[in-house]
Amino acid sequence: MAEDNQKEAIKKAAKLIKEAECLLFTSGAGMSVDSGLPDFRGPEGFWRAYPPMAKLGLKFEEMSNPQWFSRDPTFAWGFWSHRINLYQKTIPHQGYQILKTIGESKKDNYFVFTSNVDGHFLKAGFPAEKIYECHGCVDYLQCTIPCCDKIWNTSEFSIPKIDENTFKAIEDLPKCNRCGELARPNVLMFGDMRYVYTRDQKQEGFFYSWRAQNNNKKLVIIEIGAGQYVPTIRRNGEIISRKTGGSLIRINRSKEDAKVPGDDDVAIVLGGLEALKEIQAALS
């Protein structure tokens, strides 16, 4: 019975996409899992990926906090060095190309709104002007102070190696190109009052411009792997669909997280890559 329901959900999703005039792709951490990136869902998921944090009893939201850059810079940079290296060496899965192809089929009238900081949409070939990374990206660094509103590409810096036992950086830490103080990723962390919004605001401008251009067009939102723990993506998708009269296709491995607010919306209880392959087949 559940399998039949999923088949019907895939068919309905494909029909909505075919009828859409524009598409908004939104994603949370679940989108990255199929590329092999760790799932931080709950403290156990985070601790599996970072055993030293389990010994200290630190949760993800406690570790992903800018206070560590002043309290223990080598510990902060050990955590972020690992994430930067992991995200940059990981290849985005096939689902990104499926989304891109679907978007291009709508006369290129699509946009990406993601809370993921791995930079994988850009890496997968999506145009920079069609991406809004609302929590920043590890591909850029900023000053920890910050002394200015400038950001720099991570490739301009030597990312320190780490001690795998302690997860502390064991090399010189990146410094701000302008003032020489400690640098940090240009990522919006928990309790972050020093995040530099320069790139964020530029992307946000592209996003609002795209929405304005499509204000009266039939919109379908395809949301992938956005959980309720950090609900930025879910809430924005629901608000936009409600305001525009659009439809929401919500893809999530969790039955609870796949629940949708409206009768015309679609819940698909599958992983992102599997669901996108099924939708692609139904569109053919």
Side-chain angles (χ1 to χ4, degrees):
M1 189 69 176
E3 187 177 340
D4 290 340
N5 289 341
Q6 285 306 297
K7 286 181 180 179
E8 287 303 311
I10 294 292
K11 286 181 183 178
K12 184 177 178 181
K15 183 174 185 294
L16 287 173
I17 292 168
K18 285 179 180 178
E19 295 173 351
E21 296 175 283
C22 53
L23 298 170
L24 175 60
F25 305 139
T26 69
S27 74
M31 177 68 174
S32 302
V33 171
D34 289 311
S35 298
L37 293 178
D39 181 4
F40 294 158
R41 191 187 298 262
E44 289 78 15
F46 177 57
W47 290 339
R48 278 194 298 272
Y50 296 94
M53 312 310 174
K55 293 178 183 177
L56 296 171
L58 289 171
K59 298 177 183 178
F60 174 67
E61 62 270 26
E62 294 169 325
M63 193 62 234
S64 186
N65 189 303
Q67 66 173 328
W68 289 106
F69 288 99
S70 55
R71 285 179 57 186
D72 191 342
T74 59
F75 192 45
W77 261 109
F79 174 63
W80 284 102
S81 289
H82 183 272
R83 290 188 74 187
I84 290 169
N85 288 325
L86 179 63
Y87 292 171
Q88 291 186 343
K89 75 179 182 182
T90 299
I91 299 171
H93 61 75
Q94 183 189 350
Y96 288 88
Q97 292 306 317
I98 293 173
L99 277 182
K100 191 167 181 286
T101 300
I102 292 172
E104 290 168 347
S105 74
K106 296 298 175 181
K107 300 179 180 177
D108 229 25
N109 195 4
Y110 69 90
F111 209 94
V112 173
F113 177 51
T114 180
S115 60
N116 294 343
V117 301
D118 52 29
H120 279 193
F121 278 99
L122 189 61
K123 193 173 183 178
F126 285 75
E129 66 275 12
K130 287 183 174 291
I131 304 170
Y132 178 21
E133 297 159 310
C134 63
H135 290 170
C137 180
V138 297
D139 290 338
Y140 294 89
L141 300 188
Q142 65 166 80
C143 180
T144 50
I145 303 298
C147 68
C148 62
D149 61 0
K150 293 186 181 298
I151 61 172
W152 300 275
N153 197 291
T154 305
S155 63
E156 298 177 32
F157 298 79
S158 177
I159 302 303
K161 293 180 180 178
I162 62 173
D163 182 319
E164 293 291 343
N165 294 315
T166 64
F167 256 66
K168 288 196 174 190
I170 53 176
E171 295 181 330
D172 290 342
L173 306 181
K175 299 293 194 296
C176 171
N177 278 347
R178 184 174 182 272
C179 73
E181 290 291 334
L182 188 67
R184 51 159 275 192
N186 183 226
V187 169
L188 182 61
M189 304 177 200
F190 291 88
D192 200 342
M193 303 300 290
R194 297 186 178 185
Y195 175 64
V196 172
Y197 284 89
T198 304
R199 184 168 176 270
D200 187 294
Q201 289 171 339
K202 183 178 180 181
Q203 290 184 328
E204 186 179 43
F206 287 143
F207 182 42
Y208 284 136
S209 176
W210 178 81
R211 285 181 57 191
Q213 291 167 16
N214 291 283
N215 193 42
N216 296 314
K217 293 182 179 177
K218 191 168 186 178
L219 171 69
V220 169
I221 300 169
I222 305 177
E223 177 196 291
I224 306 164
Q228 299 181 57
Y229 181 61
V230 181
T232 310
I233 296 300
R234 296 173 67 90
R235 286 178 181 170
N236 276 277
E238 290 172 5
I239 290 168
I240 292 169
S241 65
R242 187 166 63 245
K243 282 184 176 180
T244 61
S247 298
L248 173 65
I249 299 168
R250 176 166 279 160
I251 300 168
N252 205 293
R253 284 178 170 83
S254 162
K255 187 175 181 180
E256 182 66 27
D257 285 346
K259 289 181 179 178
V260 291
D263 293 337
D264 294 329
D265 299 325
V266 182
I268 300 176
V269 188
L270 292 172
L273 178 56
E274 184 181 1
L276 290 172
K277 284 182 177 179
E278 294 280 352
I279 290 171
Q280 183 184 44
L283 286 169
S284 299

